[in-house]
Amino acid sequence: MNGTQGYFSSLRMDQRYPGGENPLEFYLRIEEAFKRLCEEQSTKNHLENAIIVTHGGVINPFTIF
């Protein structure tokens, strides 16, 4: 890893990225959005599939926790 992703990955969970959020805030923000999407799908009784497209920066924290 290099660049911004490598720097962000090296932060402590409570250490804020300059001008941004810390890894814990990032994780909680993404987790909340994912839960909201899942709840919306289940409560509206959708009969269709849903797909979420993202990049590794969003997926990686969920492989750690």
Side-chain angles (χ1 to χ4, degrees), residues 12-37:
R12 293 185 325 267
M13 292 305 288
D14 64 342
Q15 188 176 5
R16 192 172 298 280
Y17 185 81
E21 58 197 349
N22 66 40
L24 181 58
E25 292 167 332
F26 175 72
Y27 173 82
L28 294 173
R29 178 170 59 87
I30 301 304
E31 180 185 48
E32 178 61 31
F34 184 71
K35 284 180 180 178
R36 198 172 39 235
L37 287 169

Side-chain angles (χ1 to χ4, degrees), residues 12 19-20 34 38 42 59 61:
R12 293 185 325 267
F34 184 71
C38 290
S42 65
I59 296 169

